[in-house]
Amino acid sequence: MSSVLFVNACVRRESRTRILAESVLAELTGDITELKLWEEPLTPLDEATLNKRSRLAAAGDYSDPMFRYAKQLAAADIVVIAAPYWDLSFPSSLKVWIENVAVWGLTFRYSENGQPVGLCRAKKLIYVTTAGGIIGAYNFGYDYVAGVCKVLFGITESEQIYREGLDM
């Protein structure tokens, strides 16, 4: 059975993005693990945390709870990210999650020539978003997340499901 990691960055109770994501999830089979980012104890990385993470990763010790999110990402078969379209991008909690899952030795490594090699099992990312206005050609949120997932994590296929102009 496949595993689906649902990264939910929809903080509003009546989020249209979450409603759209739920319809996408209903079409998927497998065990779904939902991360409600606003409920998670995620914090931006600071110098002490980076030093600790680097030291542990260099030793191959991923037993610290700080690696929980990276392990979830690495083990998922499909990743669904629901993030409303805010300020040409997404809520900051999603960026903090990305910082926390980008862990050398768990979600990526470097090749001999210094290029990132993804270590995640997932081959597909589904990015769900909604916008009150028109997204148009400037969806830096999807472009960024799809790029990081492909280049750094090795998730080669991505799809964006969106609705725009909802407040027009």
Side-chain angles (χ1 to χ4, degrees):
M1 182 172 288
S2 64
S3 65
V4 178
L5 178 60
F6 174 36
V7 181
N8 183 348
C10 305
V11 300
R12 289 189 174 120
R13 201 168 305 190
E14 300 301 321
S15 169
R16 298 176 294 199
T17 302
R18 182 191 47 76
I19 292 167
L20 182 58
E22 287 172 355
S23 68
V24 170
L25 291 166
E27 299 295 319
L28 300 175
T29 58
D31 293 326
I32 298 173
T33 299
E34 180 178 5
L35 281 177
K36 295 177 181 176
L37 295 183
W38 66 95
E39 293 180 354
E40 297 295 325
L42 289 162
T43 58
L45 300 178
D46 58 20
E47 185 175 12
T49 305
L50 282 170
N51 289 340
K52 178 181 178 181
R53 183 171 81 170
S54 295
R55 181 177 42 80
L56 292 170
D61 178 2
Y62 301 104
S63 61
D64 192 281
M66 73 178 352
F67 298 114
R68 174 173 87 95
Y69 304 107
K71 288 177 182 178
Q72 285 177 321
L73 176 62
D77 294 308
I78 298 172
V79 178
V80 177
I81 295 177
Y85 186 70
W86 287 0
D87 306 321
L88 302 179
S89 186
F90 46 73
S92 62
S93 61
L94 182 55
K95 176 61 171 106
V96 172
W97 177 80
I98 291 169
E99 286 181 358
N100 280 269
V101 298
V103 177
W104 180 87
L106 278 179
T107 56
F108 76 99
R109 66 174 176 81
Y110 290 110
S111 68
E112 290 179 8
N113 64 359
Q115 297 300 311
V117 176
L119 299 177
C120 292
R121 183 166 71 193
K123 297 301 174 216
K124 184 165 187 172
L125 161 72
I126 302 172
Y127 187 87
V128 181
T129 193
T130 61
I134 300 298
I135 294 173
Y138 301 105
N139 191 346
F140 301 121
Y142 170 70
D143 295 340
Y144 174 78
V145 172
V148 167
C149 285
K150 181 177 182 179
V151 174
L152 197 60
F153 303 143
I155 303 173
T156 55
E157 183 183 344
S158 69
E159 174 183 7
Q160 177 181 210
I161 298 174
Y162 67 97
R163 299 294 177 263
E164 62 184 340
L166 298 176
D167 293 335
M168 296 176 69

